[in-house]
Amino acid sequence: MSEELTRVVTWSDLVDRRPVRAEVEGVPLVVIRLGDEAHVLHRLCPHRGADLAEGTIEGTEIVCAEHGWGFQCATGESEAIAGADIKRFRVWVNQPLDEVQIDAAEARAFREDQVDAIAYDL
Ligand code: FES
């Protein structure tokens, strides 16, 4: 199955190690440039839902501004808190189009999983 590649942000607008907000298919995202790589993660911290775009980059982690939980940019994994990983989307940097892209179908599937999880919590 081929991907539905969708623009998230303009690649050349990204400043190294400065997180920015974006949204695809209703999913709040944080985009991080680390050198020649871009990372796209779910933007809401799993602790209390803070906006991770307000966080800082420490080494290869994005660190939440609220209580300091950290997540690996390349995987979304939390090394400190078991089970507190965040979704990391597959990323394409399209140089000719100057775009950071993700698969819109992956974003939709993630959003639908979130809705299902909320429904089970009710
Ligand atoms: S809300 Fe992110 S660490 Fe508490």
Side-chain angles (χ1 to χ4, degrees), residues 16-38:
D16 197 48
R17 310 177 74 78
R18 185 183 299 167
V20 298
R21 289 180 191 81
E23 187 173 307
V24 169
E25 297 288 338
V27 178
L29 303 168
V30 57
V31 185
I32 304 138
R33 179 174 181 168
L34 293 179
D36 291 334
E37 295 184 345

Side-chain angles (χ1 to χ4, degrees), residues 44-52 63-71:
L44 303 182
C45 180
H47 180 214
R48 292 195 183 162
D51 184 342
L52 289 171
V63 176
C64 182
E66 288 296 316
H67 312 99
W69 288 19
F71 308 92

